[in-house]
Amino acid sequence: VVATFPSNYILDPACLAEIWRLLVPGGRLVIIPAAWNTGRKPCQRFLVGALRLLGWGRPQREAALAPFQQAGFKAENRIVDLPDSQVLLILADKPMEL
């Protein structure tokens, strides 16, 4: 299951239970909940500053895992570096053995 920039519905226990039901043992849920600009051009730096003023900073990585772990997933997150940005990935695996 893949979800890119989902709203908070993805954290709803009922939604996570349905994803759990759909996945086979060993299946994976991949979520891209956030991305941020890391470019050095003046317009990119301006955008970063403006978004921080609006409260759109980097998410708390470890706190993002709790709902998935509580739903029974083995969850981890990774930061993926791109040329002018970074992306947060959450990987949540349904264990092979239950």
Side-chain angles (χ1 to χ4, degrees), residues 10-96:
I10 200 74
L11 301 177
D12 185 294
C15 180
L16 291 174
E18 184 64 10
I19 293 170
W20 179 274
R21 185 186 71 79
L22 291 172
L23 287 174
V24 298
R28 176 174 273 183
L29 168 60
V30 178
I31 303 169
I32 302 171
W36 48 95
N37 192 313
T38 58
R40 296 290 170 208
K41 295 178 184 172
C43 62
Q44 294 169 322
R45 300 311 311 150
F46 174 78
L47 178 61
V48 169
L51 291 174
R52 279 195 187 125
L53 286 174
L54 293 171
W56 291 22
R58 294 182 185 211
Q60 298 296 318
R61 290 178 60 188
E62 296 309 316
L65 297 180
F68 305 99
Q69 293 167 336
Q70 290 167 357
F73 291 97
K74 180 179 180 227
E76 66 175 291
N77 55 42
R78 298 181 188 163
I79 301 289
V80 177
D81 291 312
L82 301 171
D84 288 323
S85 63
Q86 291 182 317
V87 176
L88 175 62
L89 287 179
I90 295 176
L91 306 172
D93 296 321
K94 183 174 180 177
M96 290 293 287

